[in-house]
Amino acid sequence: MRAPVFAANWKMNLGPREAAAYMERFLAEGGSRRGHTVAFFPPALSLAAVKEALGEHSDVLLGVQNIHWEDKGAFTGELSARMAADAGAALCLVGHSERRHVFGERDEECGRKCVAAVRAGLVPVLCVGETLDERESGQTRDIVLRQLRAGIGGLTADDVANLVVAYEPVWAIGTGRTATPGDASAVHVVIRDELARTGGERARGVPIVYGGSVNAANAEALLAEPEVGGLLVGGASLDPVTWSAILRA
């Protein structure tokens, strides 16, 4: 995974027709450029439309927003990592704050999903981050390390060296509030040290991206921090022009 990594999480937005129109405009804006990694995480129903619209643009990666930890079974409404890979996904989000705090996803489940992703050949993008109350009570480090350790606990050192970690403070997601570049970098150092402790020196190359009210105005300052290896962008990625401007940061 070549840093910086720019990941667009569309959440529950842009159905197949909208997604196809978006990609047409995105490619007209110049699309991806060599030297970094660009990934889209559309809704599962729009994945095929995005893949078709990209055509031969193999420099853009696709991912899914969630997976189940089982390969198959009676899990209505879920999709497995193997299904996602078969549909053309290369990555999957695991433990996004909305999965944790809206749908009640637990640390242990995130760990099982990371194992399932690796088993299917997907790159897990493990999301970690604290709430506002946890931050104000000085628990940021403890919360981030707890989530990180649970997510990678079932992985080998080689697996750890080949994932992506996203630090997304919950209090900054969709609120307009953004961690300062220095705040983000400080937490990224904590994550980097833990990855190296678990995965060895190779894990020091794992991209650690920041997510939380990222936009075209603050992207450059965030990316200027040496420990910020890319951006995970929600709302600002829904417009192809704005997203292209962020990529130019």
Side-chain angles (χ1 to χ4, degrees):
M1 195 70 64
R2 181 178 296 174
V5 175
F6 294 88
N9 177 20
W10 289 355
K11 306 186 182 185
M12 198 174 71
N13 297 286
L14 304 182
R17 283 183 291 183
E18 294 172 303
Y22 176 109
M23 296 311 300
E24 181 179 355
R25 181 61 187 275
F26 170 71
L27 293 174
E29 288 287 323
S32 178
R33 295 186 301 173
R34 294 179 180 178
H36 55 232
T37 301
V38 177
F40 285 95
F41 293 84
L45 289 174
S46 297
L47 183 67
V50 174
K51 182 181 178 183
E52 182 178 358
L54 282 171
E56 299 301 317
H57 290 269
S58 59
D59 55 337
V60 178
L61 302 180
L62 298 180
V64 291
Q65 299 174 14
N66 184 42
I67 57 168
H68 196 276
W69 54 82
E70 295 289 350
D71 293 333
K72 60 182 179 180
F75 303 104
T76 300
E78 296 288 337
L79 70 155
S80 72
R82 287 184 179 178
M83 291 176 180
D86 189 45
L91 311 97
C92 65
L93 296 179
V94 176
H96 188 279
S97 65
E98 289 155 12
R99 298 301 313 174
R100 294 179 188 270
H101 297 286
V102 177
F103 297 101
E105 193 164 293
R106 301 186 301 274
D107 290 344
E108 180 265 342
E109 293 171 331
C110 294
R112 296 175 72 181
K113 289 182 178 185
C114 282
V115 171
V118 170
R119 187 170 64 237
L122 298 181
V123 174
V125 180
L126 176 62
C127 303
V128 299
E130 80 283 10
T131 65
L132 182 59
D133 286 345
E134 290 165 344
R135 181 178 182 81
E136 291 182 339
S137 61
Q139 298 182 69
T140 295
R141 178 187 176 88
D142 292 341
I143 296 299
V144 167
L145 286 177
R146 188 200 77 208
Q147 294 172 347
L148 180 63
R149 288 167 178 164
I152 65 177
L155 303 181
T156 67
D158 284 345
D159 295 337
V160 172
N162 287 293
L163 55 72
V164 176
V165 177
Y167 169 55
E168 43 160 28
V170 181
W171 51 270
I173 297 172
T175 64
R177 299 179 61 180
T178 308
T180 68
D183 288 338
S185 187
V187 178
H188 285 214
V189 169
V190 171
I191 295 171
R192 175 78 61 208
D193 289 345
E194 181 63 20
L195 289 173
R197 188 189 69 82
T198 306
E201 282 303 307
R202 282 186 60 212
R204 291 197 176 275
V206 168
I208 304 174
V209 304
Y210 171 79
S213 295
V214 176
N215 54 53
N218 60 28
E220 186 173 356
L222 287 164
L223 289 168
E225 290 292 325
E227 287 297 332
V228 176
L231 303 170
L232 175 60
V233 185
S237 74
L238 296 177
D239 176 73
V241 177
T242 301
W243 178 237
S244 296
I246 291 173
L247 296 184
R248 290 191 290 270

